[in-house]
Amino acid sequence: METSPARPPYLLDPAGGCPHAVDARLLAEDALAPVELPGGIEGTAVLGHEVLEEFLQHPEVAKKARHFRALQEGQSLPAGHC
Protein backbone atom coordinates (compact mmCIF):
# COMPACT_ATOMS: atom_id res chain seq x y z
CA MET A 1 0.00 0.00 0.00
CA GLU A 2 1.68 3.17 -1.18
CA THR A 3 0.86 6.65 -0.02
CA SER A 4 1.55 10.03 -1.55
CA PRO A 5 3.69 12.69 0.14
CA ALA A 6 2.38 14.15 3.39
CA ARG A 7 -0.49 16.56 3.12
CA PRO A 8 -2.28 18.52 5.81
CA PRO A 9 -5.09 16.64 7.55
CA TYR A 10 -8.67 17.20 6.42
CA LEU A 11 -10.79 18.53 9.30
CA LEU A 12 -13.86 16.30 9.48
CA ASP A 13 -17.18 18.11 9.85
CA PRO A 14 -18.72 17.10 13.22
CA ALA A 15 -22.19 17.80 11.78
CA GLY A 16 -21.61 15.24 9.03
CA GLY A 17 -21.80 17.57 6.04
CA CYS A 18 -21.73 15.60 2.81
CA PRO A 19 -19.49 12.60 3.53
CA HIS A 20 -19.82 11.09 0.04
CA ALA A 21 -18.50 14.26 -1.61
CA VAL A 22 -15.65 14.49 0.91
CA ASP A 23 -14.77 10.81 0.40
CA ALA A 24 -14.71 11.25 -3.37
CA ARG A 25 -12.49 14.33 -3.14
CA LEU A 26 -10.05 12.67 -0.73
CA LEU A 27 -10.00 9.43 -2.75
CA ALA A 28 -9.17 11.39 -5.92
CA GLU A 29 -5.89 12.35 -4.20
CA ASP A 30 -5.05 9.04 -2.50
CA ALA A 31 -6.64 5.99 -0.89
CA LEU A 32 -5.21 7.03 2.49
CA ALA A 33 -6.01 10.51 3.75
CA PRO A 34 -4.85 12.22 6.94
CA VAL A 35 -7.85 13.53 8.88
CA GLU A 36 -8.49 15.42 12.08
CA LEU A 37 -11.47 14.42 14.19
CA PRO A 38 -13.35 16.88 16.41
CA GLY A 39 -11.23 17.60 19.44
CA GLY A 40 -8.00 17.70 17.43
CA ILE A 41 -7.54 13.91 17.31
CA GLU A 42 -5.49 12.92 14.26
CA GLY A 43 -6.29 9.85 12.21
CA THR A 44 -6.26 8.34 8.76
CA ALA A 45 -9.24 7.77 6.52
CA VAL A 46 -8.88 4.58 4.51
CA LEU A 47 -10.92 4.98 1.33
CA GLY A 48 -11.91 2.26 -1.09
CA HIS A 49 -12.87 -1.35 -0.40
CA GLU A 50 -9.68 -3.02 -1.65
CA VAL A 51 -7.38 -0.69 0.28
CA LEU A 52 -9.49 -1.03 3.43
CA GLU A 53 -9.37 -4.81 3.16
CA GLU A 54 -5.58 -4.73 2.80
CA PHE A 55 -5.25 -2.23 5.66
CA LEU A 56 -7.36 -4.31 8.09
CA GLN A 57 -5.39 -7.48 7.33
CA HIS A 58 -2.05 -5.89 8.21
CA PRO A 59 -0.75 -7.33 11.52
CA GLU A 60 0.36 -3.94 12.83
CA VAL A 61 -3.10 -2.36 12.53
CA ALA A 62 -4.66 -2.03 15.97
CA LYS A 63 -8.33 -2.86 16.02
CA LYS A 64 -9.06 -2.62 19.75
CA ALA A 65 -9.62 0.61 21.66
CA ARG A 66 -6.87 -0.17 24.18
CA HIS A 67 -4.27 0.34 21.42
CA PHE A 68 -5.18 3.95 20.68
CA ARG A 69 -2.86 6.48 22.29
CA ALA A 70 -5.45 9.29 22.24
CA LEU A 71 -7.82 7.19 24.33
CA GLN A 72 -5.05 6.19 26.74
CA GLU A 73 -4.18 9.87 27.21
CA GLY A 74 -7.78 10.73 28.02
CA GLN A 75 -8.61 12.33 24.69
CA SER A 76 -11.97 11.48 23.26
CA LEU A 77 -14.54 12.83 20.88
CA PRO A 78 -16.92 15.43 22.29
CA ALA A 79 -20.24 14.04 23.58
CA GLY A 80 -22.63 13.15 20.81
CA HIS A 81 -19.93 12.26 18.24
CA CYS A 82 -18.91 8.75 17.30
Side-chain angles (χ1 to χ4, degrees), residues 7 10 12-13 16-33 35 44-49:
R7 61 181 169 175
Y10 176 81
L12 294 176
D13 181 356
C18 184
H20 299 292
V22 171
D23 288 354
R25 194 181 95 225
L26 293 173
L27 183 56
E29 293 182 36
D30 195 356
L32 298 174
V35 295
T44 301
V46 182
L47 307 157
H49 181 77

PDB file of all heavy atoms in Angstrom, residues 7 10 12-13 16-33 35 44-49:
ATOM      1  N   ARG A   7       0.362  15.413   3.386  1.00  0.00           N
ATOM      2  CA  ARG A   7      -0.491  16.561   3.122  1.00  0.00           C
ATOM      3  C   ARG A   7      -1.179  16.923   4.424  1.00  0.00           C
ATOM      4  O   ARG A   7      -1.293  16.086   5.315  1.00  0.00           O
ATOM      5  CB  ARG A   7      -1.499  16.264   2.011  1.00  0.00           C
ATOM      6  CG  ARG A   7      -2.445  15.128   2.340  1.00  0.00           C
ATOM      7  CD  ARG A   7      -3.398  14.878   1.200  1.00  0.00           C
ATOM      8  NE  ARG A   7      -4.110  13.627   1.419  1.00  0.00           N
ATOM      9  CZ  ARG A   7      -5.069  13.184   0.658  1.00  0.00           C
ATOM     10  NH1 ARG A   7      -5.448  13.874  -0.386  1.00  0.00           N
ATOM     11  NH2 ARG A   7      -5.666  12.053   0.910  1.00  0.00           N
ATOM     12  N   TYR A  10      -7.350  16.644   6.733  1.00  0.00           N
ATOM     13  CA  TYR A  10      -8.665  17.197   6.423  1.00  0.00           C
ATOM     14  C   TYR A  10      -9.462  17.222   7.728  1.00  0.00           C
ATOM     15  O   TYR A  10      -9.582  16.207   8.405  1.00  0.00           O
ATOM     16  CB  TYR A  10      -9.369  16.333   5.370  1.00  0.00           C
ATOM     17  CG  TYR A  10     -10.772  16.809   5.100  1.00  0.00           C
ATOM     18  CD1 TYR A  10     -11.001  17.879   4.249  1.00  0.00           C
ATOM     19  CD2 TYR A  10     -11.852  16.225   5.736  1.00  0.00           C
ATOM     20  CE1 TYR A  10     -12.276  18.344   4.020  1.00  0.00           C
ATOM     21  CE2 TYR A  10     -13.141  16.685   5.511  1.00  0.00           C
ATOM     22  CZ  TYR A  10     -13.344  17.747   4.654  1.00  0.00           C
ATOM     23  OH  TYR A  10     -14.609  18.215   4.441  1.00  0.00           O
ATOM     24  N   LEU A  12     -12.543  16.900   9.684  1.00  0.00           N
ATOM     25  CA  LEU A  12     -13.858  16.301   9.482  1.00  0.00           C
ATOM     26  C   LEU A  12     -14.937  17.178  10.100  1.00  0.00           C
ATOM     27  O   LEU A  12     -14.772  17.728  11.186  1.00  0.00           O
ATOM     28  CB  LEU A  12     -13.904  14.899  10.099  1.00  0.00           C
ATOM     29  CG  LEU A  12     -12.990  13.872   9.440  1.00  0.00           C
ATOM     30  CD1 LEU A  12     -13.040  12.560  10.204  1.00  0.00           C
ATOM     31  CD2 LEU A  12     -13.387  13.649   7.996  1.00  0.00           C
ATOM     32  N   ASP A  13     -16.049  17.297   9.410  1.00  0.00           N
ATOM     33  CA  ASP A  13     -17.184  18.106   9.851  1.00  0.00           C
ATOM     34  C   ASP A  13     -17.962  17.330  10.916  1.00  0.00           C
ATOM     35  O   ASP A  13     -18.529  16.279  10.621  1.00  0.00           O
ATOM     36  CB  ASP A  13     -18.082  18.414   8.652  1.00  0.00           C
ATOM     37  CG  ASP A  13     -19.281  19.268   8.998  1.00  0.00           C
ATOM     38  OD1 ASP A  13     -19.494  19.585  10.188  1.00  0.00           O
ATOM     39  OD2 ASP A  13     -20.021  19.623   8.063  1.00  0.00           O
ATOM     40  N   GLY A  16     -21.441  16.236  10.086  1.00  0.00           N
ATOM     41  CA  GLY A  16     -21.612  15.242   9.034  1.00  0.00           C
ATOM     42  C   GLY A  16     -21.404  15.793   7.648  1.00  0.00           C
ATOM     43  O   GLY A  16     -20.751  15.189   6.821  1.00  0.00           O
ATOM     44  N   GLY A  17     -21.967  16.972   7.366  1.00  0.00           N
ATOM     45  CA  GLY A  17     -21.799  17.565   6.042  1.00  0.00           C
ATOM     46  C   GLY A  17     -22.235  16.609   4.955  1.00  0.00           C
ATOM     47  O   GLY A  17     -23.264  15.963   5.068  1.00  0.00           O
ATOM     48  N   CYS A  18     -21.446  16.506   3.924  1.00  0.00           N
ATOM     49  CA  CYS A  18     -21.732  15.601   2.807  1.00  0.00           C
ATOM     50  C   CYS A  18     -20.581  14.604   2.707  1.00  0.00           C
ATOM     51  O   CYS A  18     -19.630  14.807   1.943  1.00  0.00           O
ATOM     52  CB  CYS A  18     -21.880  16.403   1.513  1.00  0.00           C
ATOM     53  SG  CYS A  18     -22.334  15.361   0.121  1.00  0.00           S
ATOM     54  N   PRO A  19     -20.634  13.516   3.486  1.00  0.00           N
ATOM     55  CA  PRO A  19     -19.485  12.598   3.533  1.00  0.00           C
ATOM     56  C   PRO A  19     -19.142  11.965   2.190  1.00  0.00           C
ATOM     57  O   PRO A  19     -17.978  11.706   1.918  1.00  0.00           O
ATOM     58  CB  PRO A  19     -19.896  11.551   4.561  1.00  0.00           C
ATOM     59  CG  PRO A  19     -21.379  11.655   4.681  1.00  0.00           C
ATOM     60  CD  PRO A  19     -21.740  13.065   4.327  1.00  0.00           C
ATOM     61  N   HIS A  20     -20.130  11.729   1.330  1.00  0.00           N
ATOM     62  CA  HIS A  20     -19.823  11.093   0.042  1.00  0.00           C
ATOM     63  C   HIS A  20     -18.977  12.010  -0.838  1.00  0.00           C
ATOM     64  O   HIS A  20     -18.043  11.562  -1.489  1.00  0.00           O
ATOM     65  CB  HIS A  20     -21.116  10.686  -0.669  1.00  0.00           C
ATOM     66  CG  HIS A  20     -21.918   9.693   0.107  1.00  0.00           C
ATOM     67  ND1 HIS A  20     -21.500   8.403   0.328  1.00  0.00           N
ATOM     68  CD2 HIS A  20     -23.101   9.817   0.752  1.00  0.00           C
ATOM     69  CE1 HIS A  20     -22.383   7.769   1.062  1.00  0.00           C
ATOM     70  NE2 HIS A  20     -23.370   8.602   1.342  1.00  0.00           N
ATOM     71  N   ALA A  21     -19.290  13.298  -0.828  1.00  0.00           N
ATOM     72  CA  ALA A  21     -18.501  14.257  -1.614  1.00  0.00           C
ATOM     73  C   ALA A  21     -17.092  14.372  -1.053  1.00  0.00           C
ATOM     74  O   ALA A  21     -16.115  14.418  -1.804  1.00  0.00           O
ATOM     75  CB  ALA A  21     -19.185  15.624  -1.620  1.00  0.00           C
ATOM     76  N   VAL A  22     -16.974  14.403   0.268  1.00  0.00           N
ATOM     77  CA  VAL A  22     -15.650  14.485   0.906  1.00  0.00           C
ATOM     78  C   VAL A  22     -14.848  13.239   0.574  1.00  0.00           C
ATOM     79  O   VAL A  22     -13.681  13.326   0.179  1.00  0.00           O
ATOM     80  CB  VAL A  22     -15.782  14.665   2.432  1.00  0.00           C
ATOM     81  CG1 VAL A  22     -14.424  14.527   3.107  1.00  0.00           C
ATOM     82  CG2 VAL A  22     -16.414  16.005   2.759  1.00  0.00           C
ATOM     83  N   ASP A  23     -15.464  12.057   0.717  1.00  0.00           N
ATOM     84  CA  ASP A  23     -14.766  10.810   0.405  1.00  0.00           C
ATOM     85  C   ASP A  23     -14.259  10.809  -1.034  1.00  0.00           C
ATOM     86  O   ASP A  23     -13.123  10.428  -1.299  1.00  0.00           O
ATOM     87  CB  ASP A  23     -15.685   9.601   0.621  1.00  0.00           C
ATOM     88  CG  ASP A  23     -15.946   9.312   2.085  1.00  0.00           C
ATOM     89  OD1 ASP A  23     -15.326   9.964   2.953  1.00  0.00           O
ATOM     90  OD2 ASP A  23     -16.784   8.432   2.360  1.00  0.00           O
ATOM     91  N   ALA A  24     -15.105  11.242  -1.960  1.00  0.00           N
ATOM     92  CA  ALA A  24     -14.711  11.251  -3.370  1.00  0.00           C
ATOM     93  C   ALA A  24     -13.536  12.196  -3.604  1.00  0.00           C
ATOM     94  O   ALA A  24     -12.600  11.860  -4.329  1.00  0.00           O
ATOM     95  CB  ALA A  24     -15.902  11.655  -4.240  1.00  0.00           C
ATOM     96  N   ARG A  25     -13.582  13.368  -2.968  1.00  0.00           N
ATOM     97  CA  ARG A  25     -12.490  14.325  -3.140  1.00  0.00           C
ATOM     98  C   ARG A  25     -11.188  13.784  -2.565  1.00  0.00           C
ATOM     99  O   ARG A  25     -10.126  13.868  -3.182  1.00  0.00           O
ATOM    100  CB  ARG A  25     -12.842  15.656  -2.478  1.00  0.00           C
ATOM    101  CG  ARG A  25     -11.892  16.756  -2.920  1.00  0.00           C
ATOM    102  CD  ARG A  25     -12.191  18.085  -2.272  1.00  0.00           C
ATOM    103  NE  ARG A  25     -11.331  18.181  -1.109  1.00  0.00           N
ATOM    104  CZ  ARG A  25     -11.709  18.584   0.086  1.00  0.00           C
ATOM    105  NH1 ARG A  25     -12.938  18.952   0.311  1.00  0.00           N
ATOM    106  NH2 ARG A  25     -10.870  18.634   1.072  1.00  0.00           N
ATOM    107  N   LEU A  26     -11.255  13.216  -1.357  1.00  0.00           N
ATOM    108  CA  LEU A  26     -10.050  12.666  -0.734  1.00  0.00           C
ATOM    109  C   LEU A  26      -9.516  11.482  -1.536  1.00  0.00           C
ATOM    110  O   LEU A  26      -8.308  11.354  -1.747  1.00  0.00           O
ATOM    111  CB  LEU A  26     -10.341  12.253   0.705  1.00  0.00           C
ATOM    112  CG  LEU A  26     -10.664  13.382   1.685  1.00  0.00           C
ATOM    113  CD1 LEU A  26     -11.092  12.813   3.033  1.00  0.00           C
ATOM    114  CD2 LEU A  26      -9.497  14.324   1.852  1.00  0.00           C
ATOM    115  N   LEU A  27     -10.412  10.609  -1.995  1.00  0.00           N
ATOM    116  CA  LEU A  27     -10.000   9.430  -2.753  1.00  0.00           C
ATOM    117  C   LEU A  27      -9.357   9.815  -4.082  1.00  0.00           C
ATOM    118  O   LEU A  27      -8.461   9.127  -4.560  1.00  0.00           O
ATOM    119  CB  LEU A  27     -11.199   8.505  -2.980  1.00  0.00           C
ATOM    120  CG  LEU A  27     -10.921   7.189  -3.698  1.00  0.00           C
ATOM    121  CD1 LEU A  27      -9.853   6.383  -2.967  1.00  0.00           C
ATOM    122  CD2 LEU A  27     -12.201   6.388  -3.832  1.00  0.00           C
ATOM    123  N   ALA A  28      -9.775  10.931  -4.662  1.00  0.00           N
ATOM    124  CA  ALA A  28      -9.172  11.391  -5.918  1.00  0.00           C
ATOM    125  C   ALA A  28      -7.695  11.708  -5.725  1.00  0.00           C
ATOM    126  O   ALA A  28      -6.906  11.623  -6.669  1.00  0.00           O
ATOM    127  CB  ALA A  28      -9.910  12.624  -6.439  1.00  0.00           C
ATOM    128  N   GLU A  29      -7.300  12.047  -4.491  1.00  0.00           N
ATOM    129  CA  GLU A  29      -5.894  12.354  -4.201  1.00  0.00           C
ATOM    130  C   GLU A  29      -5.112  11.112  -3.797  1.00  0.00           C
ATOM    131  O   GLU A  29      -3.960  10.952  -4.175  1.00  0.00           O
ATOM    132  CB  GLU A  29      -5.811  13.399  -3.085  1.00  0.00           C
ATOM    133  CG  GLU A  29      -6.355  14.751  -3.496  1.00  0.00           C
ATOM    134  CD  GLU A  29      -6.213  15.768  -2.376  1.00  0.00           C
ATOM    135  OE1 GLU A  29      -5.209  15.730  -1.649  1.00  0.00           O
ATOM    136  OE2 GLU A  29      -7.125  16.592  -2.234  1.00  0.00           O
ATOM    137  N   ASP A  30      -5.741  10.233  -2.997  1.00  0.00           N
ATOM    138  CA  ASP A  30      -5.052   9.037  -2.503  1.00  0.00           C
ATOM    139  C   ASP A  30      -6.054   8.173  -1.761  1.00  0.00           C
ATOM    140  O   ASP A  30      -7.069   8.666  -1.280  1.00  0.00           O
ATOM    141  CB  ASP A  30      -3.911   9.434  -1.563  1.00  0.00           C
ATOM    142  CG  ASP A  30      -2.923   8.304  -1.290  1.00  0.00           C
ATOM    143  OD1 ASP A  30      -3.146   7.172  -1.768  1.00  0.00           O
ATOM    144  OD2 ASP A  30      -1.929   8.542  -0.601  1.00  0.00           O
ATOM    145  N   ALA A  31      -5.759   6.895  -1.615  1.00  0.00           N
ATOM    146  CA  ALA A  31      -6.643   5.989  -0.893  1.00  0.00           C
ATOM    147  C   ALA A  31      -6.494   6.128   0.621  1.00  0.00           C
ATOM    148  O   ALA A  31      -7.335   5.648   1.371  1.00  0.00           O
ATOM    149  CB  ALA A  31      -6.380   4.547  -1.307  1.00  0.00           C
ATOM    150  N   LEU A  32      -5.416   6.760   1.073  1.00  0.00           N
ATOM    151  CA  LEU A  32      -5.213   7.033   2.491  1.00  0.00           C
ATOM    152  C   LEU A  32      -5.145   8.540   2.673  1.00  0.00           C
ATOM    153  O   LEU A  32      -4.364   9.212   2.009  1.00  0.00           O
ATOM    154  CB  LEU A  32      -3.911   6.407   3.000  1.00  0.00           C
ATOM    155  CG  LEU A  32      -3.812   4.887   2.907  1.00  0.00           C
ATOM    156  CD1 LEU A  32      -2.412   4.424   3.308  1.00  0.00           C
ATOM    157  CD2 LEU A  32      -4.856   4.227   3.780  1.00  0.00           C
ATOM    158  N   ALA A  33      -5.967   9.063   3.573  1.00  0.00           N
ATOM    159  CA  ALA A  33      -6.009  10.514   3.752  1.00  0.00           C
ATOM    160  C   ALA A  33      -5.872  10.869   5.229  1.00  0.00           C
ATOM    161  O   ALA A  33      -6.602  10.335   6.065  1.00  0.00           O
ATOM    162  CB  ALA A  33      -7.327  11.066   3.216  1.00  0.00           C
ATOM    163  N   VAL A  35      -6.664  12.802   8.450  1.00  0.00           N
ATOM    164  CA  VAL A  35      -7.851  13.533   8.881  1.00  0.00           C
ATOM    165  C   VAL A  35      -7.670  13.993  10.317  1.00  0.00           C
ATOM    166  O   VAL A  35      -6.831  13.472  11.054  1.00  0.00           O
ATOM    167  CB  VAL A  35      -9.139  12.675   8.766  1.00  0.00           C
ATOM    168  CG1 VAL A  35      -9.442  12.330   7.321  1.00  0.00           C
ATOM    169  CG2 VAL A  35      -9.041  11.421   9.607  1.00  0.00           C
ATOM    170  N   THR A  44      -6.390   8.595  10.188  1.00  0.00           N
ATOM    171  CA  THR A  44      -6.256   8.341   8.761  1.00  0.00           C
ATOM    172  C   THR A  44      -7.556   7.756   8.251  1.00  0.00           C
ATOM    173  O   THR A  44      -8.080   6.806   8.824  1.00  0.00           O
ATOM    174  CB  THR A  44      -5.113   7.349   8.479  1.00  0.00           C
ATOM    175  OG1 THR A  44      -3.894   7.893   8.982  1.00  0.00           O
ATOM    176  CG2 THR A  44      -4.962   7.067   7.001  1.00  0.00           C
ATOM    177  N   ALA A  45      -8.072   8.330   7.184  1.00  0.00           N
ATOM    178  CA  ALA A  45      -9.245   7.767   6.521  1.00  0.00           C
ATOM    179  C   ALA A  45      -8.745   6.806   5.458  1.00  0.00           C
ATOM    180  O   ALA A  45      -7.881   7.153   4.649  1.00  0.00           O
ATOM    181  CB  ALA A  45     -10.087   8.868   5.886  1.00  0.00           C
ATOM    182  N   VAL A  46      -9.244   5.583   5.501  1.00  0.00           N
ATOM    183  CA  VAL A  46      -8.885   4.576   4.507  1.00  0.00           C
ATOM    184  C   VAL A  46     -10.074   4.482   3.558  1.00  0.00           C
ATOM    185  O   VAL A  46     -11.169   4.117   3.964  1.00  0.00           O
ATOM    186  CB  VAL A  46      -8.596   3.213   5.179  1.00  0.00           C
ATOM    187  CG1 VAL A  46      -8.179   2.191   4.136  1.00  0.00           C
ATOM    188  CG2 VAL A  46      -7.511   3.362   6.243  1.00  0.00           C
ATOM    189  N   LEU A  47      -9.838   4.842   2.303  1.00  0.00           N
ATOM    190  CA  LEU A  47     -10.917   4.980   1.328  1.00  0.00           C
ATOM    191  C   LEU A  47     -10.817   3.916   0.248  1.00  0.00           C
ATOM    192  O   LEU A  47      -9.746   3.682  -0.300  1.00  0.00           O
ATOM    193  CB  LEU A  47     -10.855   6.374   0.699  1.00  0.00           C
ATOM    194  CG  LEU A  47     -10.838   7.506   1.725  1.00  0.00           C
ATOM    195  CD1 LEU A  47     -10.236   8.761   1.134  1.00  0.00           C
ATOM    196  CD2 LEU A  47     -12.228   7.757   2.251  1.00  0.00           C
ATOM    197  N   GLY A  48     -11.889   3.280  -0.050  1.00  0.00           N
ATOM    198  CA  GLY A  48     -11.907   2.258  -1.091  1.00  0.00           C
ATOM    199  C   GLY A  48     -11.859   0.868  -0.480  1.00  0.00           C
ATOM    200  O   GLY A  48     -11.076   0.594   0.432  1.00  0.00           O
ATOM    201  N   HIS A  49     -12.714  -0.010  -0.972  1.00  0.00           N
ATOM    202  CA  HIS A  49     -12.868  -1.346  -0.401  1.00  0.00           C
ATOM    203  C   HIS A  49     -11.572  -2.157  -0.416  1.00  0.00           C
ATOM    204  O   HIS A  49     -11.201  -2.751   0.593  1.00  0.00           O
ATOM    205  CB  HIS A  49     -13.979  -2.102  -1.140  1.00  0.00           C
ATOM    206  CG  HIS A  49     -14.219  -3.464  -0.604  1.00  0.00           C
ATOM    207  ND1 HIS A  49     -14.917  -3.689   0.562  1.00  0.00           N
ATOM    208  CD2 HIS A  49     -13.830  -4.677  -1.051  1.00  0.00           C
ATOM    209  CE1 HIS A  49     -14.949  -4.980   0.807  1.00  0.00           C
ATOM    210  NE2 HIS A  49     -14.302  -5.604  -0.163  1.00  0.00           N
TER     211      HIS A  49
END
